[in-house]
Structure formats: structure tokens, C-alpha cells
Amino acid sequence: MNAFIRTLGSLVFLIATLLCAAPTHAEDGYDLWMRYHLLAPEQVKRYDSHASQLIIGSTTPTQTATRDELQRGLNGLLGHAPLLSNDINRNGAIIVGTPSSSPLIARLKLDTTSLGNEGYLIRSVAVDGHTATVIVANTDVGALYGAFHFLRLLQTEQSVDHLDIHESPRLKLRVLEHWDYLNGQVERGYAGASIWDWWKLPDWRAPRYTDYARANASIGINGTVLNDVTDGATILTPTYLQKVAALADVFRPYGIRVYLSIRFSAPIEIGGLKTADPLDPQVQRWWREKADEIYRIIPDFGGFLVKANSEGQPGPEDYGRTHADGANVLADAVAPHGGIVMWRTFVYSQNNPDDRAKQAYEEFKPLDGRFRSNVILPVKNGPIDFQPREPFHPLFGAMPKTPLMMEFEITKEYLGFATHLVYLGPLYEEVLSADTMVHGKGSIVAKVIDGSLEGHTLTGMTGDSNIGTDRNWTGSDFNQANWYVFGRLAWNPTLSSRAIADEWVRMTFTNNNAFVKPVVDMMMGSREAVVDYMTPLGLVHLMGPGHHYGPAPWDASESRADWRPVYYHRADHEGIGFDRTSTGSDAVAQYAPPVAEQFNDLKQTPEQFLLFFHHVPWDYRMRSGQTLWYELVAHYSQGVDDVKQMRETWRHMDGYIDDQRYQQVASFLAIQQKEAQWWRDACIAYFQSISGLPLPPGYAPPEKSLKYYESLTFPFVPGYSSWQ
Ligand code: BDP
């Protein structure tokens, strides 16, 4: 009897708990920033009068996608969709299209010449005696971008009265790069497996592909590279090209072209040739025919991305040819079809004893002007490799005759993977606004890549994606912001990362200012926090060997010197840092003279880059008046304190958003704090073993011994696979 009552009791308790706990608005992050949740009643009232009718020019696939998005968005935000109509017969219509597809728009005679192929106007007008908002472009895709902009205004609760918005992208190629393998693994991926289900393609086109395209179109991304830069040649075989074509079909209405990473030795591997020498006529013919074959099934194929003679990949140098020879043979193959080649500059060689930071410049600068006009060179933001902080890459501004595109890493390979909250907007902005000084003050990196500095029209930005099969796409809710900010900056590299964070938070979580303000502040500070707890004062590449997880400043186990942390920090009993001045590796000389002069001078170098350019004695007096050793410990400790503060901020956010996302962020911040502490303690323990100095007063000693930190091993770190 007792047992029966107990069981009954537990059952009642369980049901009661389930009923109470069932979250009313559980959210798993799948909707990204396109949540379209019902706005507050006063906002609905405010916008209702601007969304009575929806008039769309035509029924092309892109206009249909535009109509569906607006209906979905307005239905969600306002609780009802506007009436679909062909003609205006009431106030508050939304009219979308191009002058050629919509007679209504044609009648307005708006000047669209400056909009180009992808720009749009959003304007409040009067048509036939009725008020309306028109979203006008020269192309359907431009109008789609405009529709997303309009929705964003509502999502972020901005005014839609008296609109006169005029937007067109500053960069032509706005590309996401997927480091995905055909077996489903993702190199440096921390959000699950590849979203491309190659096995089931081309017959099964997962709905997720469409949502992926919507998300990209909403921020203006117009290209996607489907496979990893170190992928094999299989992607170019007929079977796989059919699969690629199926994805291209899904993306086309959203203005997204597909690109492929190709393996330079493909003519040998799948073509049966004996060589891949770019000057061999048979090789040239092979690439031409391969391009023809691709364009037969994907007429708007974007082109090729290439990692050649880099980290063991095959390339033209295997045959004594240059990067230009290699790029040009591919460029010639795709040129008749309007394709382009993105030829990466991320090259360095273990056989070259010179400073790794100098090698890309040394190889590519002499080739300036030797590339075909449909070649663009991606340059990583800094000369090493996507570190938490690096100075801008010296190639920016150094190749005036060659289009360069920015390559950012969106996936956080060196920044704590999925669980550390690091908003990359400030990192991107710092590099884009860095002044190369090549044509005097104001020659900022953004102007190099938007083509305005040297008059290039082929321009672009590419981002190494953080997307995977995780339900929330990116491994954490806050990582979505990094995809978002990348797209927004690729559209306009002079936007402010804070403004972008603000709109993202509003769309992703809530418009409640009590949430928005502290969370945006937290995001904006998060990048400096990770710099502090991982690699302060210009240090780089202290991460664990190969997998790049956790601290390993002591590590010298890698096969290549230039993959070892000790190569980068060069700490010894006297001091720490890499001497790249004129008396050291002279990497500074790769910058324009005023910048070179600044970085060459210990006193003038910004302290955030100090140890990147100088080997500095431990007792060197910093600007604060404290010693370098003191400041190093202080920065490491500050990083941990910042994460504690982030947790505190988040604790106060409880209740403002759904519990599911709130809890996951809270848990991830706890992981981040634990790992920040580990970073701080391991690095201080190690550097103290080298400097032999006592900790400054007031700073806690590391929790464990250096031996302990050195003993940690991580056999199954995600994202570390295949080619390594
Ligand atoms: C490095 C990664 C490596 C990439 C390489 C690249 O560690 O996995 O293949 O960049 O960009 O950051 O080619």
C-alpha cells in the first residue's frame, strides 16, 4: 500500500513538474536572427498601417522567395500576413520588385542607376492616392535583400515612416567557405558534422539547405564554397558534380552561387594525366574541359578556390612554376563562363628558415600584376593564422595591381571553439580599419578590399564558416553573431561592429533594452577578454599542438618548427617576444614606411602588438610604469576577471529570454571561465618557469603545477582531422 501511494505520489509530482516546467517558448536557436516572433502590441499597432497589402512584381523563383519571406516575417511579427494583391487599393501597401517586372514600380520612375545588380531602395511613397512602402531594385535578388532589410527594421523596432534607404554592397564577392569533407567531417568545425548530406544528394534536398540560403541572403552573402581547401579531387567527378548542381539549384533563388575548392593535382588524380604542370597543354585542356563540364550543369557556377603549395598541398611550385602560373590556368578555364579564381595567399614552408610571418608577402608581392583579371587573392587578416590578435597582414596595400580579398575565420579555431563567448566583430573591425598608410593616412584595409584604394572592381571577403549540423547551426547561440557580423561587414566593411551586435541581439533575443545594452557591452568586451587570457601583449599561437585546444606555450613537439608555440613566443631567461625589427627578422620592412617605422620602434609600437614585433626584457617598463612581467600576469588575470564579469552579466539576464537558450549560454560561460582560468594558470606557470620571477603581489599563484598542465592530453578534440 505504502509503495502504491509512493508511486502515485511520484507520478502526480512528475506530471505537475512537467506541466509547470514546460517552457512556453522553448527555443533551440534554429531560427537564427530570423525569428519573427510576435512584437509587443504597441509595436504591432505601429507597423500594421504599413503592411496592409503585399504587391510583388512577378513569380520568378526569387520573387516567390521574397514574397514567402515577407509573408512569413510579417505574419510572425504582426500576427497576420498582409493581403496579397496585384494592385494598390488601400493605404499601407508594400510593393516589391524591379521596374521591369512591376508596372506599378515602373510608373514611379525612381532612379535606380546607382543601385547596380544587388542594391535596393526602400522608400515611403504615395501611389494612386495611397501610401506605400516600395522596395525597388534592378534585379530580383536586390529586391530580396531589400525585403530582408525591411523586415530587420521591424524586428529591431525602428521607424518605417518616411523611409528613404539606399543600399548597395561595397564588395562584390561575399563568400562563406565551408571546410567540409565529403565524409561529413568539418575541419576546424565545432558545430557537428557537415550540413551537406553528400550521400543523399542530389535526390534529397534537405529543407535545411533552403534555410541556410535564407540566412545568407538575409545578410547579403552571395557565394558559398562547399568543400574544404584540402579536400581531394572527388568533388570534381561527374557523380559529385550532380550533387553540387542540386545544391546550386536550391541556392540560386537566393542569389547564392556555388564555388568549389579544387585540388591542384586533380588532372593526375581523376584525369589520368601524368602531370599537373600548369604550363603543360594537356593539363590546360583538362581544366578547360572540366570547367566546360561544370558550367554545362551549373551555368552560374562561381569558380574555384585554391590552397596550393601550402601546408603540404600540391601546387604549381611542384613543377617549378609560380602561383601566378597556377592561378592563370584555372582562370583561363573559367573565364569564358564568367567564373573567377580565388587563389589563397596562406603559404609558408617548413623548408624556408625565414620568419613565417614574412613568407606570404615574399612569395606573392613579386607576382603583383601577373594574375589574370578574374583572379582574386584571399589574404588572411594577419600574417600568422587567425590568432586572437595579430597586426594586419602586410600584403594589404602591397599588391596594387592585384585584387585582394579579406579572409576571416568565423569558426573559433584559436579562440576557444564553440563554448567560449567571443564576438568577432571587434576583431574584424580592428583589421578593416587598420591604416596601411600606403597612400598616406586613411589608406585603411577596408579600402584595399573594397577596391577604392587602387581602383579594382573585383572585390570580396571570404569567411571560414562555423556552421554544422547542430540544431543551432553554429555550436552556440552567440556564435551565430559571428556568422551574422561577417555577412554584414562583407556587405559594408565600414559598418560598426557595435551597431551590428545591437541589431543581432534584438533579432536573436529581444528588443528589451534592459537585456540589449548589457549583452551588447558583454559581446563587445569579449574579444579583449580572450586576448587577455590566451595571448596578451602581442603573443600568438600558444595553443595546443595540432588541435589548437587549450594552452601549451611549452610545446615543441610538432614536426615543424613553425607549428611550435616556442617558435612564436621565444621566451628565455632575459625576456620574451619575437624580434621582427630591422635587427631581427625585419618583418616590419614589409609594411609601408610610416607603419614599419612605428612597429620597428619599441617605444612606438602599440603595446597590444609589443611581443609580436619585439623581444622585450622581463623588467622592461611598460607605459603603465609596471614591468613587462607584471603586465603579463595582470593581463592574464584580467582575462579571467572579464569572463567572471560576463557570467555575472548573464546571471542578470535570467527571465528576459527563453530558458533553453539562457541555460545553455550560462553553462557555456561556466566552461569558458574554467578554461580561461586554465589558460591563465598554465601560461603563468610556464612563463614563470622561464623568467624565474616571483608573482607580483596580490596575484594568486596557478592552481596546479606546470607539470600538471603539461601532462594534459586531448586525444579526441573536434575539428582536427583528415589532412593533419
Ligand atoms: C589553419 C588551420 C588549418 C587550415 C589552414 C588554412 O589550422 O586547419 O587548413 O588554416 O587556412 O588555421 O589553410
Side-chain angles (χ1 to χ4, degrees):
M1 185 60 178
N2 261 355
F4 175 73
I5 289 173
R6 263 206 312 276
T7 318
L8 198 71
S10 336
L11 209 67
V12 170
F13 178 73
L14 186 76
I15 293 170
T17 322
L18 281 177
L19 284 177
C20 299
T24 38
H25 296 295
E27 290 196 50
D28 57 16
Y30 183 85
D31 291 339
L32 297 160
W33 47 88
M34 306 176 295
R35 279 166 65 255
Y36 306 141
H37 279 209
L38 189 64
L39 295 170
E42 67 277 11
Q43 300 294 340
V44 172
K45 218 166 127 208
R46 172 181 182 203
Y47 295 129
D48 255 350
S49 54
H50 295 277
S52 62
Q53 286 183 279
L54 181 56
I55 304 168
I56 302 267
S58 72
T59 53
T60 61
T62 300
Q63 294 237 346
T64 304
T66 308
R67 182 200 64 200
D68 291 351
E69 196 67 36
L70 281 168
Q71 282 197 300
R72 177 205 297 245
L74 295 170
N75 200 12
L77 293 163
L78 307 179
H80 58 89
L83 210 65
L84 270 183
S85 331
N86 290 325
D87 227 333
I88 186 161
N89 50 30
R90 61 188 73 183
N91 282 336
I94 302 169
I95 307 170
V96 191
T98 63
S100 55
S101 68
S102 160
L104 257 185
I105 290 176
R107 260 168 36 216
L108 291 172
K109 295 202 179 355
L110 296 166
D111 183 7
T112 60
T113 38
S114 62
L115 297 177
N117 280 336
E118 294 177 300
Y120 54 85
L121 289 174
I122 308 179
R123 193 169 289 175
S124 307
V125 294
V127 193
D128 299 345
H130 297 291
T131 61
T133 307
V134 286
I135 303 175
V136 179
N138 289 321
T139 62
D140 287 354
V141 164
L144 174 66
Y145 290 154
F148 275 114
H149 188 138
F150 181 71
L151 286 170
R152 188 163 71 228
L153 294 177
L154 271 61
Q155 288 176 279
T156 54
E157 299 184 352
Q158 294 179 54
S159 165
V160 294
D161 298 319
H162 316 297
L163 291 178
D164 188 9
I165 294 168
H166 180 293
E167 277 280 335
S168 52
R170 295 267 191 102
L171 305 183
K172 195 166 166 191
L173 311 172
R174 305 178 299 278
V175 179
L176 268 191
E177 231 175 283
H178 291 264
W179 285 359
D180 296 15
Y181 292 104
L182 302 187
N183 66 5
Q185 290 182 330
V186 182
E187 185 188 9
R188 311 306 180 185
Y190 313 104
S194 169
I195 54 168
W196 317 132
D197 193 341
W198 291 111
W199 189 249
K200 301 197 192 93
L201 280 164
D203 300 314
W204 166 241
R205 302 172 179 197
R208 192 165 193 159
Y209 303 151
T210 306
D211 289 332
Y212 166 86
R214 289 174 50 232
N216 280 330
S218 77
I219 48 177
I221 287 173
N222 66 359
T224 175
V225 185
L226 300 177
N227 60 326
D228 187 74
V229 284
T230 61
D231 194 18
T234 309
I235 194 85
L236 292 178
T237 57
T239 312
Y240 274 85
L241 288 177
Q242 288 302 333
K243 298 169 190 275
V244 172
L247 287 173
D249 287 346
V250 177
F251 302 157
R252 190 165 296 114
Y254 295 89
I256 298 166
R257 289 178 173 218
V258 297
Y259 297 75
L260 293 177
S261 292
I262 60 98
R263 191 165 163 85
F264 199 74
S265 51
I268 304 174
E269 283 154 34
I270 57 167
L273 300 185
K274 294 219 155 37
T275 176
D277 181 349
L279 299 195
D280 183 304
Q282 270 188 305
V283 171
Q284 296 174 347
R285 198 177 69 217
W286 191 85
W287 281 115
R288 267 200 315 273
E289 286 173 359
K290 186 48 80 181
D292 294 345
E293 178 190 344
I294 296 174
Y295 279 93
R296 263 196 304 279
I297 56 170
I298 312 169
D300 56 352
F301 179 68
F304 296 135
L305 171 69
V306 195
K307 171 173 178 171
N309 292 119
S310 163
E311 300 186 321
Q313 293 303 304
E317 293 179 344
D318 303 348
Y319 306 95
R321 315 297 185 196
T322 68
H323 282 286
D325 296 329
N328 292 344
V329 67
L330 299 170
D332 289 343
V334 294
H337 309 282
I340 60 113
V341 171
M342 297 180 276
W343 188 272
R344 298 174 88 226
T345 57
F346 179 66
V347 299
Y348 61 100
S349 161
Q350 59 179 335
N351 303 322
N352 184 345
D354 208 354
D355 178 2
R356 171 173 163 185
K358 292 169 65 180
Q359 296 184 27
Y361 177 104
E362 276 167 356
E363 279 206 45
F364 279 89
K365 165 114 181 120
L367 300 176
D368 191 20
R370 308 246 313 263
F371 294 90
R372 297 281 192 270
S373 59
N374 59 334
V375 176
I376 186 165
L377 309 183
V379 178
K380 289 189 179 182
N381 54 274
I384 301 294
D385 192 10
F386 299 138
Q387 296 303 299
R389 171 171 279 132
E390 289 180 54
F392 69 91
H393 202 299
L395 274 176
F396 291 116
M399 295 185 69
K401 298 192 203 115
T402 311
L404 305 181
M405 76 195 287
M406 174 62 76
E407 179 173 353
F408 282 131
E409 194 173 48
I410 306 172
T411 188
K412 301 205 309 298
E413 171 185 0
Y414 294 101
L415 293 102
F417 298 0
T419 47
H420 291 212
L421 194 164
V422 184
Y423 171 54
L424 297 175
L427 187 162
Y428 298 165
E429 189 175 1
E430 180 176 298
V431 178
L432 291 166
S433 60
D435 201 341
T436 69
M437 300 286 284
V438 285
H439 296 313
K441 243 180 154 14
S443 313
I444 59 171
V445 172
K447 288 191 184 164
V448 176
I449 64 159
D450 75 9
S452 60
L453 200 67
E454 310 289 357
H456 292 297
T457 50
L458 183 57
T459 56
M461 193 186 285
T462 170
D464 307 327
S465 131
N466 60 355
I467 297 165
T469 47
D470 275 11
R471 188 67 194 154
N472 64 19
W473 300 85
T474 55
S476 88
D477 291 298
F478 275 90
N479 285 337
Q480 298 175 356
N482 293 331
W483 176 5
Y484 186 84
V485 69
F486 168 77
R488 300 284 286 126
L489 287 172
W491 180 272
N492 180 354
T494 62
L495 290 178
S496 117
S497 62
R498 177 177 281 275
I500 297 171
D502 188 279
E503 65 189 32
W504 177 80
V505 169
R506 289 173 185 279
M507 291 190 284
T508 305
F509 292 113
T510 169
N511 275 294
N512 190 332
N513 280 324
F515 181 92
V516 175
K517 170 86 173 64
V519 171
V520 169
D521 285 346
M522 172 176 81
M523 289 169 74
M524 291 305 292
S526 62
R527 188 287 186 113
E528 206 57 44
V530 75
V531 169
D532 275 344
Y533 66 73
M534 286 188 182
T535 52
L537 297 172
L539 289 171
V540 290
H541 224 305
L542 306 184
M543 296 77 191
H547 51 65
H548 300 157
Y549 173 66
W554 49 80
D555 193 79
S557 67
E558 279 283 6
S559 54
R560 302 174 53 147
D562 52 12
W563 284 352
R564 299 177 187 149
V566 293
Y567 170 92
Y568 293 98
H569 63 69
R570 310 208 157 191
D572 55 27
H573 194 64
E574 310 307 317
I576 177 171
F578 198 128
D579 184 0
R580 296 193 161 98
T581 67
S582 50
T583 51
S585 82
D586 202 21
V588 293
Q590 295 181 340
Y591 290 97
V595 180
E597 219 169 89
Q598 186 193 20
F599 290 156
N600 197 43
D601 180 353
L602 180 61
K603 290 279 167 216
Q604 284 187 58
T605 304
E607 286 185 347
Q608 61 186 18
F609 299 130
L610 188 69
L611 305 179
F612 190 89
F613 289 113
H614 301 273
H615 189 79
V616 184
W618 294 109
D619 61 0
Y620 172 75
R621 287 278 153 203
M622 303 285 284
R623 272 166 217 152
S624 64
Q626 304 286 1
T627 66
L628 168 64
W629 169 242
Y630 179 99
E631 286 264 324
L632 193 69
V633 174
H635 274 276
Y636 271 115
S637 308
Q638 184 63 50
V640 180
D641 289 347
D642 287 349
V643 178
K644 282 187 195 149
Q645 189 50 53
M646 286 161 70
R647 277 187 85 184
E648 193 51 25
T649 301
W650 193 250
R651 210 170 55 75
H652 287 99
M653 298 302 117
D654 195 2
Y656 286 104
I657 63 166
D658 57 291
D659 204 46
Q660 188 169 346
R661 290 186 299 166
Y662 173 80
Q663 291 300 348
Q664 192 185 58
V665 172
S667 304
F668 283 7
L669 282 169
I671 297 174
Q672 184 173 7
Q673 187 186 331
K674 194 168 70 180
E675 296 190 348
Q677 186 74 48
W678 167 35
W679 263 96
R680 175 219 182 251
D681 288 350
C683 291
I684 290 180
Y686 170 71
F687 289 129
Q688 189 172 27
S689 78
I690 309 274
S691 74
L693 294 167
L695 280 186
Y699 286 95
E703 281 170 7
K704 304 241 166 59
S705 70
L706 175 58
K707 246 193 157 50
Y708 165 81
Y709 296 116
E710 286 180 352
S711 74
L712 301 175
T713 55
F714 306 95
F716 302 115
V717 179
Y720 180 54
S721 55
S722 303
W723 70 271
Q724 291 103 335

